[in-house]
Amino acid sequence: MVRTGFQLILDAQPDIEVIAEVADGAACVEVARRLRPDVCLVDIRMPKLDGLDVTRALAGPDAVDPLRVVVVTTFDQDDYVYGALQGGACGFLLKDAGPGLLVEAVRAAARGDALVSPSVTVRLLERLGPHPGADGTGATDDAGRPQRSQGFQGAYEPQGPLTEREMDVARLVARGRTNQEICQELYVSLGTVKTHLGSIQTKLGVRNRVEIAAWAWETGAVRSR
């Protein structure tokens, strides 16, 4: 029933076509690899192979030619969100988020962006970091910069230091701001924000704004309120 409902919502959009729907995780991996959809919607709990395993198989660091995966679930649990994002998902959506957010999550994933249900975003990212050092504060390197945690070190190895303005953008992304809101807060153009985001992704070796936000929280670049 849920799959049928999602298909009706998505097929009603002029720019979206549902090309397959399957009943278990193993079939999801097989069909997705064969058909190569622009976006895969994956449930957390599925027969044969759960959604986190499917996400890692399709979008994880060991995936060959990874796909874009959005995890959709009824379970608002931080470990599921954390596991999905670590596994390579570019979105995490609760099933009660509404049809509008479902459609936007698919569109965001298709254009290489990411969307996490607003009800879990900041709460999740605050739980990601910063990881404490020996003195109970966020760990820093010799230059006083926040260090990356062990869990994210491989994924978030920076290719160069962020500029002060790029750090401003990263912090606002971590606070859940949209590109337009970042424009207004920093008094810059939309094109400038997009340029900064592209530079941040390249330097940090991340793929989307969710991973930028996770990096900012984990390293202590942004603090809890």
Side-chain angles (χ1 to χ4, degrees):
M1 288 176 62
V2 172
R3 293 200 311 274
T4 299
F6 281 7
Q7 182 167 356
L8 289 172
I9 291 168
L10 295 172
D11 273 337
Q13 307 304 310
D15 56 338
I16 298 176
E17 178 187 4
V18 178
I19 61 173
E21 58 98 3
V22 296
D24 64 74
C28 179
V29 173
E30 187 277 322
V31 171
R33 285 175 172 170
R34 175 164 48 87
L35 297 182
R36 304 292 305 173
D38 296 308
V39 179
C40 303
L41 289 179
V42 175
D43 202 346
I44 283 287
R45 294 187 180 178
M46 296 185 292
K48 297 185 179 180
L49 203 61
D50 71 32
L52 298 183
D53 288 334
V54 169
T55 299
R56 284 190 289 269
L58 295 179
D62 296 328
V64 178
D65 198 9
L67 294 165
R68 293 165 180 164
V69 174
V70 174
V71 174
V72 187
T73 182
T74 57
F75 304 101
D76 182 8
Q77 297 181 21
D78 290 342
D79 54 341
Y80 286 153
V81 191
Y82 189 52
L85 298 181
Q86 277 195 310
C90 62
F92 190 96
L93 198 65
L94 299 179
K95 288 180 181 176
D96 62 0
L101 207 57
L102 173 67
V103 171
E104 183 52 38
V106 171
R107 288 177 176 150
R111 62 177 180 259
D113 209 334
L115 187 150
V116 177
S117 283
S119 61
V120 300
T121 303
V122 173
R123 187 193 75 234
L124 161 74
L125 294 173
E126 286 180 345
R127 282 173 59 94
L128 291 183
H131 285 259
D135 60 354
T137 62
T140 59
D141 62 17
D142 292 339
R145 294 183 297 266
Q147 288 184 337
R148 295 173 304 281
S149 73
Q150 183 70 25
F152 278 92
Q153 189 167 358
Y156 296 143
E157 191 68 34
Q159 302 303 308
L162 299 188
T163 66
E164 183 176 350
R165 184 42 59 100
E166 287 168 351
M167 284 298 298
D168 290 338
V169 172
R171 291 186 184 104
L172 290 174
V173 167
R175 290 293 185 194
R177 303 294 194 272
T178 66
N179 285 359
Q180 191 59 50
E181 288 170 339
I182 294 173
C183 292
Q184 295 169 356
E185 293 199 32
L186 298 183
Y187 302 102
V188 295
S189 69
L190 184 60
T192 298
V193 171
K194 291 181 178 179
T195 298
H196 285 319
L197 288 172
S199 178
I200 293 167
Q201 288 179 208
T202 299
K203 289 180 178 180
L204 298 182
V206 299
R207 294 174 296 178
N208 53 56
R209 67 195 300 123
V210 170
E211 292 185 354
I212 292 173
W215 173 87
W217 284 103
E218 276 242 313
T219 60
V222 63
R223 303 287 181 175
S224 300
R225 292 180 179 85

